[in-house]
C-alpha cells in the first residue's frame, strides 16, 4: 500500500491471508499495487546534487522513465512516457512509477509488468472494479499490458535487467557497475528490517490526515452507463487518479485512458473545466456522453467526501450510496430495511419479518435504535420482498428509507431501486457476501446460508443523523 493509505481500505486482507499474499507499506505515496513474481521492480537512489537538482519535478520523472523506455524499445516494444508518471504501450500501462525525497537524497521506483495476473490483482486489492465480473476484469485487463503480451513470449529477467541498465547508462551518460552494500549499509539494513516487517510499520500510518479516499459513483446517459472511481485527497482536494468504466463506446479506443491520465492531480473545483479542455484539444468522441456527463459522474463520487463534515470517518464515506437524491437533501428517514442474511443462521426469525430483540445479534440492537429515532424497522427476506416493500412505501408516501446491501447487489439492481419514487440511503455490507462467493442467486431467493455483517456503527450514525427524532437526540 502507498505510504498514506489504510490497509483495510485498499486490500482484501482475508483473501491475501488465505492466498499467502504478504501485505506491506512502501515509503512512497500513491495507490496500492499488487506485486507478484511476474513483475520486475527497478529503483534509482541517488543524491539530488549529483544531478544539479534542488527538487525532483515532473521533467526529471520523464527523464528517468526515458531510461526504461529505451530498454523496452531495445526489447522490441514501442513504449512512451505518459504524464505524469506512467510508461505505456499503445495507451496501456506497462510501468507505474513514483518517488520520495528526504534531504539531498531521493528514491524513484517503478514496476515493469513482465506478465500479469489480473484476476488475482482484482481479488487482492479493493480496486474500483469491485464487482469482479467478466466485463470488469476485461476492462482492467485492457488498461494494462506486459512484455509477454506485447512480444508473444516472456524474455529472461536477466535480459530485461541488462537492457534497463543500458537504458539508464545512455540517458544519464554514466557507466553502471555491479556492486553491493557497504558494511555500514548492511548493518543499518539488519537493524531496520524488523521494523519494516512489523505491524507498527504496515498499519502504523492508518491515522494519517493525508490518507486518500476511494470514491465510487454511477451515472446513466443516452450513450450508456458511466461509472467512476476516484482516488481523492481530501486535504489537498485533488484527484489522485480516476478510473472510468461503463457500457458506452469511445473513439478513438484510447480516449478514456487518456482522459483518466489528463485528470491526475486535478483540483476538485477544476475537474469539470479540465474535462471540457480535454475534449476541446483532442479528437475524442463518446457518442451520447458529453463532457458534462463525465463531470457529473465524477462530481457524484466527490460529493461523498463531504460526508466527512457530517461526522463520518474516512473509511465510512464510500460505504454509503444514495438513491434518487443526494445525502444532504434527505432530511430524515422513516423506515430501516434490514436484510434477512444479517440474522444468525439458527435464528427463528432468520427468514421472517420480525425480530425478538433477544440481544443475540446486532439486528435487535438496530430494531431498538430505529424505534428510539422514530424509524420503523422492517426485515427483508428476499429480492421480491424488497421490491414489494419499497413499492408499498411508495404507495403510502412513507418517505425516505435507510437500508443495507453489498455494493455488487446495488450495482446490479440500481435501476430497480431508482424505479421506485422514493429517496433512499444504502450502507455497504461489511463482510464477504453472496456476490463475492458466487452465490447471488441464493440471495435473490432468500436462501443464502451465511450470516453477513452489517456496518452497525455507521447505521447508528445515519439513524441519529437522519432519524425522525434526531433533534431530540442532538
Amino acid at each position: 500500500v502507498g505510504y498514506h493509505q489504510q490497509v483495510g481500505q485498499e486490500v482484501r486482507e482475508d483473501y491475501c491471508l488465505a492466498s499467502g499474499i504478504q501485505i506491506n507499506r512502501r515509503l512512497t505515496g500513491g495507490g496500492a499495487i499488487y506485486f507478484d513474481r511476474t513483475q520486475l521492480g527497478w529503483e534509482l537512489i541517488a543524491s539530488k546534487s549529483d544531478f544539479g537538482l534542488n527538487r525532483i519535478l515532473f521533467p526529471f520523472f520523464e527523464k528517468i522513465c526515458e531510461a526504461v523506455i529505451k530498454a523496452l524499445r531495445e526489447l522490441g516494444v514501442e513504449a512512451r512516457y505518459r504524464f505524469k508518471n506512467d510508461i505505456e504501450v499503445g495507451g496501456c500501462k506497462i510501468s507505474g512509477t513514483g518517488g520520495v525525497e528526504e534531504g539531498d537524497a531521493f528514491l524513484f521506483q517503478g514496476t515493469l509488468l513482465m506478465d500479469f495476473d489480473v484476476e488475482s490483482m482484482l481479488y487482492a486489492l479493493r480496486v474500483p472494479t469491485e464487482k469482479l465480473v467478466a466485463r470488469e476484469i476485461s476492462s482492467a485487463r485492457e488498461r494494462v499490458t506486459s512484455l509477454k503480451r506485447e512480444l508473444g513470449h516472456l524474455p529472461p529477467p536477466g535480459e530485461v535487467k541488462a537492457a534497463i541498465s543500458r537504458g539508464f547508462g545512455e540517458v544519464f551518460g554514466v557507466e553502471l557497475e555491479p556492486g553491493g552494500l557497504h558494511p555500514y549499509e548492511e548493518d543499518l539494513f539488519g537493524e531496520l528490517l524488523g521494523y519494516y516487517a512489523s505491524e507498527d510499520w504496515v498499519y502504523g500510518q492508518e491515522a494519517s490526515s493525508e490518507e486518500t479516499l476511494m470514491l465510487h459513483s454511477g451515472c446513466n446517459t443516452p450513450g450508456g452507463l458511466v461509472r467512476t472511481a476516484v482516488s481523492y485527497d481530501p486535504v489537498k482536494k485533488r484527484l489522485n487518479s480516476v478510473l472510468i468504466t461503463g457500457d458506452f463506446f469511445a473513439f478513438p479506443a484510447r480516449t478514456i485512458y487518456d482522459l483518466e491520465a489528463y485528470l491526475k492531480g486535478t483540483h476538485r473545483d477544476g475537474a469539470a473545466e479540465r474535462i471540457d479542455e480535454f475534449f476541446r484539444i483532442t479528437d475524442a468522441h463518446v457518442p451520447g456522453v458529453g463532457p458534462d456527463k463525465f463531470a457529473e459522474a465524477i462530481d457524484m463520487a466527490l460529493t461523498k467526501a463531504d460526508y466527512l463534515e457530517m461526522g463520518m470517518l474516512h473509511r465510512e464515506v464510500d460505504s454509503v450510496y444514495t438513491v434518487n437524491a443526494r445525502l444532504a437533501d434527505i432530511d430524515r428517514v422513516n423506515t430501516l430495511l434490514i436484510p434477512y442474511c444479517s440474522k444468525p443462521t439458527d435464528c427463528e426469525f432468520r427468514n421472517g419479518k420480525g425480530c425478538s430483540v433477544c440481544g443475540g445479534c446486532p439486528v435487535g440492537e438496530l430494531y431498538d435504535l430505529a424505534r428510539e429515532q422514530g424509524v420503523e424497522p422492517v426485515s427483508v427476506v428476499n429480492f421480491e420482498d424488497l421490491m414489494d416493500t419499497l413499492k408499498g412505501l411508495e404507495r403510502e408516501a412513507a418517505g425516505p428509507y435507510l437500508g443495507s446491501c453489498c455494493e455488487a447487489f446495488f450495482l446490479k439492481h440500481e435501476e430497480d431501486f431508482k424505479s421506485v419514487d422514493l429517496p433512499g440511503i444504502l450502507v455497504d455490507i461489511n463482510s464477504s457476501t453472496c456476490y463475492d462467493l458466487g452465490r447471488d442467486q441464493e440471495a435473490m431467493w432468500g436462501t443464502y446460508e451465511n450470516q453477513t455483517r452489517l456496518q452497525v456503527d455507521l447505521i447508528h450514525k445515519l439513524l441519529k443523523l437522519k432519524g425522525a427524532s434526531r433533534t431530540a437526540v442532538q
Side-chain angles (χ1 to χ4, degrees):
V1 297
Y3 183 76
H4 298 298
Q5 292 185 304
Q6 288 188 331
V7 172
Q9 189 176 16
E10 306 297 331
V11 176
R12 298 178 193 273
E13 294 180 80
D14 291 346
Y15 176 82
C16 290
L17 180 64
S19 304
I21 299 171
Q22 295 179 324
I23 302 170
N24 213 304
R25 182 180 301 278
R26 63 180 184 274
L27 289 168
T28 54
I33 62 172
Y34 172 72
F35 197 92
D36 64 17
R37 296 180 186 276
T38 66
Q39 297 173 53
L40 183 67
W42 56 268
E43 292 180 332
L44 175 62
I45 303 169
S47 298
K48 288 180 281 188
S49 56
D50 290 341
F51 299 91
L53 300 172
N54 293 318
R55 292 190 63 194
I56 305 299
L57 301 174
F58 291 135
F60 194 64
F61 284 15
E62 184 171 3
K63 186 173 183 180
I64 297 175
C65 288
E66 186 62 33
V68 180
I69 290 170
K70 279 185 174 292
L72 290 171
R73 289 177 177 170
E74 177 185 325
L75 293 165
V77 176
E78 277 301 312
R80 72 181 184 94
Y81 174 73
R82 179 167 66 190
F83 184 83
K84 56 188 175 175
N85 61 338
D86 288 341
I87 299 171
E88 64 164 34
V89 180
C92 298
K93 181 175 176 179
I94 196 169
S95 177
T97 69
V100 64
E101 52 185 292
E102 183 175 328
D104 184 45
F106 75 89
L107 176 153
F108 196 87
Q109 61 187 187
T111 58
L112 178 62
L113 300 182
M114 304 276 284
D115 196 0
F116 196 45
D117 181 355
V118 175
E119 286 81 358
S120 293
M121 181 270 288
L122 290 175
Y123 277 107
L125 299 181
R126 294 188 182 278
V127 292
T129 49
E130 283 269 10
K131 289 178 286 184
L132 300 177
V133 297
R135 70 174 181 274
E136 297 298 342
I137 292 174
S138 176
S139 178
R141 187 182 288 111
E142 289 169 2
R143 281 168 166 72
V144 297
T145 189
S146 64
L147 279 179
K148 183 177 181 180
R149 177 177 168 184
E150 294 299 320
L151 297 174
H153 67 279
L154 191 61
E159 180 181 335
V160 180
K161 292 178 184 180
I164 292 176
S165 296
R166 287 191 291 271
F168 274 99
E170 291 178 28
V171 168
F172 292 102
V174 296
E175 184 177 344
L176 301 181
E177 296 181 356
L181 298 178
H182 295 294
Y184 165 76
E185 294 169 328
E186 291 278 10
D187 291 342
L188 189 60
F189 174 76
E191 179 184 330
L192 296 177
L193 180 60
Y195 172 67
Y196 286 108
S198 70
E199 290 195 359
D200 284 346
W201 166 251
V202 178
Y203 294 92
Q205 306 297 318
E206 301 286 74
S208 171
S209 62
E210 296 182 353
E211 65 178 294
T212 59
L213 299 173
M214 203 69 207
L215 307 172
H216 299 70
S217 73
C219 177
N220 284 296
T221 76
L225 180 64
V226 176
R227 296 200 185 281
T228 59
V230 183
S231 173
Y232 179 67
D233 184 334
V235 177
K236 297 178 181 178
K237 298 187 183 302
R238 293 194 180 278
L239 287 65
N240 295 326
S241 64
V242 178
L243 178 68
I244 301 171
T245 60
D247 54 9
F248 51 82
F249 294 92
F251 306 95
R254 60 176 295 152
T255 291
I256 298 304
Y257 312 145
D258 289 341
L259 175 59
E260 292 169 347
Y262 202 71
L263 287 170
K264 278 187 178 181
T266 299
H267 192 277
R268 174 178 179 175
D269 295 339
E273 182 179 346
R274 185 80 169 159
I275 293 170
D276 280 337
E277 181 180 80
F278 172 82
F279 282 97
R280 281 200 312 270
I281 65 175
T282 67
D283 61 352
H285 176 53
V286 185
V289 188
D292 60 320
K293 288 299 181 182
F294 286 109
E296 179 184 341
I298 290 173
D299 180 64
M300 288 171 62
L302 293 174
T303 296
K304 294 186 177 185
D306 300 332
Y307 300 171
L308 295 173
E309 299 173 6
M310 301 180 185
M312 293 188 202
L313 303 176
H314 282 74
R315 65 174 180 269
E316 295 175 333
V317 295
D318 197 45
S319 293
V320 178
Y321 330 122
T322 58
V323 180
N324 296 329
R326 296 198 175 201
L327 185 62
D329 298 328
I330 298 176
D331 185 54
R332 56 179 283 180
V333 297
N334 296 314
T335 308
L336 174 65
L337 303 179
I338 301 174
Y340 75 92
C341 56
S342 60
K343 299 176 182 178
T345 55
D346 59 353
C347 174
E348 62 178 309
F349 292 94
R350 166 78 175 189
N351 299 107
K353 299 291 285 184
C355 175
S356 64
V357 193
C358 66
C361 75
V363 171
E365 184 182 346
L366 289 176
Y367 262 72
D368 281 342
L369 186 65
R371 287 164 176 158
E372 287 174 15
Q373 300 300 317
V375 175
E376 179 64 26
V378 176
S379 292
V380 176
V381 298
N382 55 41
F383 178 71
E384 182 180 3
D385 181 46
L386 169 65
M387 296 308 300
D388 287 344
T389 300
L390 291 177
K391 290 173 183 176
L393 294 174
E394 180 185 20
R395 287 193 298 272
E396 297 166 9
Y401 60 89
L402 170 64
S404 287
C405 68
C406 67
E407 183 184 38
F409 182 89
F410 175 67
L411 292 172
K412 182 173 182 178
H413 297 288
E414 185 174 4
E415 293 307 311
D416 294 314
F417 280 109
K418 289 181 177 179
S419 70
V420 180
D421 190 20
L422 285 177
I425 305 170
L426 296 171
V427 177
D428 197 8
I429 296 292
N430 194 23
S431 63
S432 294
T433 69
C434 51
Y435 281 80
D436 294 324
L437 301 172
R439 295 162 62 182
D440 46 303
Q441 286 301 311
E442 296 177 25
M444 287 284 291
W445 296 106
T447 58
Y448 181 58
E449 295 179 355
N450 292 359
Q451 181 180 2
T452 55
R453 297 195 305 273
L454 302 181
Q455 296 200 55
V456 176
D457 291 343
L458 181 53
I459 296 172
H460 278 198
K461 195 171 292 186
L462 287 166
L463 281 172
K464 291 179 179 179
L465 185 67
K466 301 291 185 179
S469 304
R470 68 192 184 287
T471 302
V473 172
Q474 291 173 349

